[in-house]
Amino acid sequence: MSNARNISNIALIGFMGTGKSSVGHLLAEQLRFGFVDTDELIVNAAGKSIADIFAQQGEAVFRALEHEIIKGLASRTRSVISTGGGVPVNPDNLASLKSHSLVVCLWASPEKIWENVRGQSHRPLLLNTPDPLAKIRELLAARAPFYKQADVLVNTEWRSVREVAQQVAHQFQSARATQK
Ligand code: S3P
């Protein structure tokens, strides 16, 4: 894949529970961009929930579907793309997103992530684990090197959704201005 970039979208990457969906929706509304969520596209394509894909077909099948969905985003413009937490672990996914998007990673501590996701039941990687906080710590540490390859890293821990969206919009506008 060539490294040429044509930044016409914003891709939000980052761990579960860092605010990608809420920030993404607000950003899309403010910029008058379309909004897509890779998990939603996967669910539509597979005709079943993420939890069912993991349970019935396994994580490898989910990751393959996810990769196909990411490749299919290359023709999009004026879109905010919210991605599943494991997307950047596959370097091809990150390279593909970078070809058309400013890639922004939303970041938070394991404790804050746990606070945000506890009580939710749709995330298979955190189900059936005796110590979800330890699992979050472990996964976040393993994924940190991938998340850090984003163009921009934004700590969402002490910021409102509105503040994060504003910061991301500002970074996007700067990136577009320097690209011209
Ligand atoms: C995953 C995160 C989820 C979803 C799937 C796997 C991950 O998305 O793609 O459960 O590997 O971290 P969110 O980050 O939107 O929760």
Side-chain angles (χ1 to χ4, degrees):
M1 187 177 302
S2 101
N3 289 329
R5 298 193 69 177
N6 177 18
I7 297 177
S8 34
N9 306 302
I10 299 173
L12 299 177
I13 66 168
F15 205 79
M16 304 171 242
T18 50
K20 291 167 291 180
S21 294
S22 25
V23 169
H25 277 292
L26 183 61
L27 253 180
E29 191 188 307
Q30 289 176 341
L31 298 171
R32 296 194 168 79
F33 274 24
F35 175 84
V36 270
D37 180 311
T38 58
D39 282 346
E40 279 174 22
L41 296 177
I42 294 167
V43 168
N44 292 342
K48 56 176 99 162
S49 70
I50 303 282
D52 283 348
I53 302 171
F54 268 77
Q56 294 165 14
Q57 296 167 280
E59 183 171 353
V61 168
F62 173 79
R63 296 298 171 201
L65 278 170
E66 186 170 62
H67 181 57
E68 287 309 307
I69 292 295
I70 295 285
K71 281 201 291 186
L73 296 170
S75 58
R76 291 195 78 100
T77 57
R78 296 178 61 83
S79 299
V80 177
I81 301 164
S82 175
T83 65
V87 160
V89 173
N90 178 342
D92 290 343
N93 287 345
L94 198 57
S96 177
L97 290 173
K98 279 194 174 178
S99 71
H100 55 78
S101 298
L102 182 75
V103 176
V104 178
C105 178
L106 303 189
W107 185 265
S109 67
E111 292 74 18
K112 182 70 180 173
I113 289 169
W114 176 228
E115 191 183 309
N116 292 345
V117 302
R118 67 188 305 162
Q120 300 178 347
S121 57
H122 63 279
R123 291 184 165 96
L125 289 177
L126 301 180
L127 292 177
N128 307 320
T129 168
D131 186 348
L133 178 56
K135 179 79 183 177
I136 292 169
R137 283 203 183 100
E138 178 195 315
L139 271 176
L140 190 60
R143 289 178 177 180
F146 301 102
Y147 291 143
K148 287 181 181 165
Q149 289 173 39
D151 296 305
V152 180
L153 205 61
V154 180
N155 192 336
T156 62
E157 185 137 359
W158 306 111
R159 293 189 173 99
S160 67
V161 169
R162 193 159 290 277
E163 283 170 313
V164 176
Q166 200 171 18
Q167 191 167 346
V168 175
H170 176 73
Q171 295 284 350
F172 179 64
Q173 273 138 13
S174 310
R176 295 261 284 191
T178 51
Q179 188 177 240
K180 280 176 192 151

